[in-house]
Amino acid sequence: MGMKDILKLKNKASSGGNKDSHVDSNDENKERGNWSRKSDYLLSMIGYAVGLGNVWRFPYLAYKNGGGAFLIPYTIMLAFSGMPLFFLECSMGQFSSLGPISVWRVVPILQGVGIMMVLISTLVSIYYNVIIAYSLYYMFASFQSILPWSDCFSWSNEKCSKTIRGICSVLINDSLITTNLTWVKENNYTCIINTTVLDDVELPSKQYWEKVTLRQSSGMDETGEVVWYLALCLLLAWIIVGASLFKGIKSSGKVVYFTATFPYIVLTILLVRGATLEGAFEGINYYIGTQSNITKIMEAEVWKDAATQIFFSLSTAWGGLIALSSYNKFHNNCYSDALIVCVTNCVTSVFAGFAIFSILGHMAHVSEKSVSEVVDSGFGLAFIAYPEALTQLPVSPLWSFLFFFMLLTLGLDSQFAIVETITTSILDAFPELMKRRRIPITICCCCVLFLLGLVCVTQAGIYWVNLIDYFCSGWAILFAAVLELIGVCWIYGGNNFIKDIEMMIGKKHWSFWLWWRGCWMFISPALLVAILLWSLITFEPPSYGNIRYPTWGIALGWCMIIFCILWIPIVAVIKVVQAKGNFLQTCRPAKNWGPALAQHRGERYEHIADNTEHKDANEISTVTSKTGYDNVTYF
């Protein structure tokens, strides 16, 4: 009986009495667990990729960058940067059954990149759940016969108005008089050119967002008190996340059947309803119709917007794709999964735009404005423009509830994956501890992140949310992606990586890999470097509306990112020291790099069964030479 047979019997014996809640008898990996069904994984990946940005950012970018013409650079960037990196991360996680930190056994000197990914995901999870809390608050506020932001009620000030206010001069019976615009409109008079003076007015939905929901202070310097109802909504959001993840993927994989599919139902309902409204065609026309400007694609800014949206929409380089894929069975077809999720994500973005702009078109029609005057993105779209548009629909509380419930489910899917990324990293670092204590560790993570998020529900909370989003969703992630491509494709070696993938999905003809080789090796890194440099060159201090951040706030933002990035050189130095100063040794795969289970290792990774902790580090080069690695940095 060989070593592999002994190891199989040992694994079988150790897993026979395993009663862990995150593992069942059908799992291939008895120690770590697997997805119960392929559909659990696909829906989780779709839910992670399809998030708030698909609804509140993509439609605005399409409108801004030439309408339908924007789909040309968007599709090209999907093919050249988004999909290759997505496929690479899914393959890494599935092959090794490891999360975003431990997966860097493939290139130990770059393990700090994985730590950076997890730290940034942690920071993002703090403010992302605050956005979910906003959605919960608005959803609860929709349970009223009259939406509280539908008019200027007691909480508003003198600037609040649903219509334009001002004065102008008109000619009546050869007499020139000055009167207010409301009177002119009601009596069908026309203002004389260059005589109109408009008042500075604000929509009720805008004042409700700032004065009631946020109780917004004058700036980041004025923290104010904790907004108690937002704090309760944040607590509820974390309770939902914790309850959905208490068994890890075994529980979250069931929840996503609802949270990942419900947004499509709501978008379809909103589109059907919006298409029947007056002005809907005008809105869609502005979005992607005859207003399309093909000459826009000649502008560099358009390509930069397309690449950035693809990159962040697919959630690459955050660590979540690696974490979720690490629970796949070894021979799962990760190639087809990557294609399905990427295409679904992009189609969803386009589809959401029709639903959004059809109702914004109706809003513009009712208020007698152009679509360009009512369109917005981000918080402005989700909590000001769209709520205002919903007040103009019959049975507006119903549509409001559906919209904010959709935002809730969109946010939860992404949040599930972000928190799972954190807990998976702990699982890989302390497997024995995590295996027996998954539930308390998940609860502990949720509690700590909730407490850290309380600063985001103070009266200055929106400034904190915007600050973390500005720095943590920016160029640092691009930097991690570039290092990821360099580490896997240049240091580990593209040929080695392709052999790993073929161990999972079967041999492919050399022509199959031409596209992926070209993207992984040259095209994707070049595009990401160009976007990274562009982001740094065009960097501007963050602001929220017309409110600038204090110097200490901007410094804090840089400190957050520097803290995350510092782990890359720190870990690199530690690895070199542990290898007794042998730099090249830290660039080769660790002794325990390879498939998690013995039956999947084959001859190429047979050496893993012989590895023990007491072996001297100098044996790595000997072990590596026996595995058939191409120890080169080229394809």
Side-chain angles (χ1 to χ4, degrees):
M1 181 180 290
M3 177 61 72
K4 284 168 62 177
D5 298 318
I6 295 173
L7 192 60
K8 286 180 182 179
L9 291 174
K10 185 177 180 181
N11 286 341
K12 185 176 181 180
S14 63
S15 63
N18 197 333
K19 303 297 182 184
D20 294 326
S21 60
H22 65 288
V23 178
D24 61 42
S25 58
N26 295 322
D27 287 342
E28 187 177 71
N29 190 326
K30 301 299 183 183
E31 291 297 317
R32 204 164 183 274
N34 298 109
W35 293 99
S36 299
R37 298 180 184 84
K38 174 71 169 281
S39 54
D40 293 10
Y41 167 69
L42 278 178
L43 286 174
S44 295
M45 291 287 276
I46 290 172
Y48 182 41
V50 177
L52 296 171
N54 298 72
V55 172
W56 76 14
R57 180 165 168 79
F58 174 84
Y60 174 79
L61 287 178
Y63 154 79
K64 169 190 168 187
N65 292 308
F70 181 67
L71 293 180
I72 297 174
Y74 185 72
T75 304
I76 291 174
M77 288 301 173
L78 168 66
F80 283 106
S81 64
M83 202 174 289
L85 200 59
F86 195 97
F87 179 33
L88 179 140
E89 292 195 3
C90 292
S91 302
M92 288 178 67
Q94 180 174 309
F95 178 78
S96 61
S97 297
L98 295 171
I101 297 179
S102 298
V103 77
W104 284 101
R105 293 174 186 175
V106 64
V107 184
I109 197 171
L110 290 180
Q111 193 172 52
V113 175
I115 296 175
M116 174 185 169
M117 289 178 177
V118 174
L119 288 176
I120 290 180
S121 290
T122 302
L123 290 172
V124 168
S125 71
I126 294 171
Y127 85 81
Y128 206 83
N129 233 25
V130 175
I131 299 175
I132 295 175
Y134 295 155
S135 302
L136 280 168
Y137 173 78
Y138 270 81
M139 188 182 75
F140 293 142
S142 301
F143 288 103
Q144 300 181 49
S145 57
I146 298 177
L147 291 176
W149 56 86
S150 61
D151 211 336
C152 300
F153 296 114
S154 58
W155 41 260
S156 62
N157 61 24
E158 66 281 356
K159 287 186 176 182
C160 182
S161 176
K162 291 181 68 67
T163 59
I164 295 175
R165 293 192 309 216
I167 58 173
C168 71
S169 299
V170 296
L171 196 63
I172 303 176
N173 298 327
D174 297 328
S175 299
L176 188 67
I177 65 170
T178 300
T179 186
N180 66 68
L181 292 177
T182 304
W183 186 86
V184 169
K185 180 179 177 181
E186 290 176 352
N187 292 277
N188 201 26
Y189 286 106
T190 303
C191 294
I192 296 175
I193 297 175
N194 297 327
T195 65
T196 304
V197 179
L198 297 177
D199 283 347
D200 182 19
V201 298
E202 296 176 341
L203 289 171
S205 58
K206 182 176 187 296
Q207 291 208 351
Y208 184 84
W209 166 244
E210 295 175 350
K211 294 179 176 297
V212 180
T213 304
L214 301 177
R215 292 171 57 189
Q216 184 179 332
S217 65
S218 60
M220 199 171 179
D221 288 316
E222 185 186 347
T223 301
E225 60 186 14
V226 173
V227 182
W228 66 268
Y229 42 84
L230 287 183
L232 289 178
C233 288
L234 180 62
L235 177 61
L236 176 59
W238 276 114
I239 289 173
I240 294 172
V241 171
S244 301
L245 292 173
F246 78 103
K247 288 187 178 180
I249 59 168
K250 297 299 184 184
S251 53
S252 66
K254 303 298 181 289
V255 177
V256 293
Y257 279 90
F258 175 75
T259 56
T261 56
F262 184 77
Y264 292 96
I265 298 173
V266 175
L267 284 173
T268 303
I269 294 172
L270 289 175
L271 176 59
V272 172
R273 179 63 183 126
T276 63
L277 300 170
E278 287 186 278
F281 177 76
E282 184 182 356
I284 293 174
N285 196 33
Y286 263 85
Y287 167 51
I288 210 165
T290 57
Q291 297 286 337
S292 297
N293 183 3
I294 193 68
T295 60
K296 273 279 190 178
I297 66 174
M298 304 301 293
E299 300 176 11
E301 183 73 19
V302 175
W303 291 84
K304 179 252 187 184
D305 283 347
T308 303
Q309 176 63 15
I310 279 289
F311 185 79
F312 292 113
S313 177
L314 291 175
S315 302
T316 49
W318 295 84
L321 300 179
I322 297 174
L324 295 179
S325 298
S326 69
Y327 294 101
N328 275 335
K329 293 183 178 179
F330 187 77
H331 291 297
N332 173 65
N333 192 341
C334 54
Y335 170 70
S336 64
D337 292 346
L339 295 182
I340 291 171
V341 176
C342 288
V343 172
T344 300
N345 174 74
C346 295
V347 170
T348 301
S349 295
V350 177
F351 180 64
F354 285 100
I356 296 296
F357 269 81
S358 63
I359 293 183
L360 289 180
H362 175 67
M363 176 183 175
H365 172 77
V366 171
S367 59
E368 296 184 353
K369 298 178 181 178
S370 68
V371 177
S372 60
E373 292 181 87
V374 300
V375 70
D376 209 336
S377 67
F379 296 112
L381 173 67
F383 301 109
I384 298 175
Y386 214 77
E388 180 66 26
L390 292 173
T391 62
Q392 299 170 10
L393 299 179
V395 200
S396 54
L398 172 62
W399 303 112
S400 179
F401 170 79
L402 287 175
F403 176 73
F404 288 111
F405 194 40
M406 178 189 71
L407 291 187
L408 171 65
T409 54
L410 282 171
L412 284 174
D413 285 331
S414 299
Q415 187 72 351
F416 291 160
I418 294 172
V419 177
E420 186 62 44
T421 301
I422 300 169
T423 55
T424 294
S425 300
I426 299 174
L427 165 67
D428 293 337
F430 310 100
E432 291 302 316
L433 172 68
M434 189 66 172
K435 184 174 65 174
R436 296 182 177 86
R437 299 180 177 86
R438 172 179 281 275
I439 294 176
I441 290 176
T442 300
I443 293 173
C444 183
C445 285
C446 291
C447 290
V448 170
L449 293 171
F450 163 71
L451 293 174
L452 292 174
L454 286 177
V455 69
C456 296
V457 290
T458 61
Q459 290 179 268
I462 190 65
Y463 305 115
W464 286 92
V465 169
N466 191 59
L467 182 74
I468 301 173
D469 177 65
Y470 189 88
F471 281 97
C472 293
S473 299
W475 59 268
I477 290 295
L478 294 170
F479 183 62
V482 171
L483 289 180
E484 187 175 47
L485 287 167
I486 292 173
V488 174
C489 300
W490 286 87
I491 301 177
Y492 178 57
N495 284 336
N496 289 329
F497 186 56
I498 288 173
K499 288 178 184 178
D500 291 344
I501 297 175
E502 288 184 332
M503 288 176 66
M504 298 186 292
I505 66 174
K507 289 283 186 180
K508 301 291 182 182
H509 192 266
W510 63 269
S511 59
F512 173 86
W513 294 110
L514 282 178
W515 173 263
W516 302 107
R517 286 172 186 268
C519 289
W520 288 336
M521 186 72 172
F522 302 108
I523 302 174
S524 296
L527 284 173
L528 293 176
V529 168
I531 300 169
L532 174 59
L533 293 176
W534 184 297
S535 300
L536 292 173
I537 292 171
T538 60
F539 175 83
E540 294 181 359
S543 63
Y544 181 75
N546 57 2
I547 299 175
R548 310 295 296 183
Y549 277 80
T551 303
W552 68 266
I554 298 173
L556 181 62
W558 281 112
C559 286
M560 285 190 297
I561 288 304
I562 291 171
F563 171 73
C564 297
I565 294 177
L566 270 179
W567 288 96
I568 297 175
I570 289 173
V571 172
V573 170
I574 292 173
K575 293 294 182 182
V576 171
V577 171
Q578 289 178 341
K580 298 181 173 62
N582 189 339
F583 173 79
L584 291 178
Q585 183 175 294
T586 62
C587 296
R588 301 190 183 107
K591 294 182 290 183
N592 55 354
W593 165 254
L597 303 180
Q599 64 262 35
H600 298 140
R601 293 170 189 160
E603 294 183 4
R604 191 156 176 258
Y605 288 95
E606 193 174 14
H607 67 282
I608 296 179
D610 299 324
N611 285 339
T612 55
E613 294 297 325
H614 65 270
K615 279 202 170 186
D616 189 85
N618 291 328
E619 293 183 39
I620 292 179
S621 58
T622 305
V623 171
T624 303
S625 66
K626 293 179 181 179
T627 65
Y629 277 119
D630 300 326
N631 288 313
V632 289
T633 59
Y634 52 85
F635 278 80

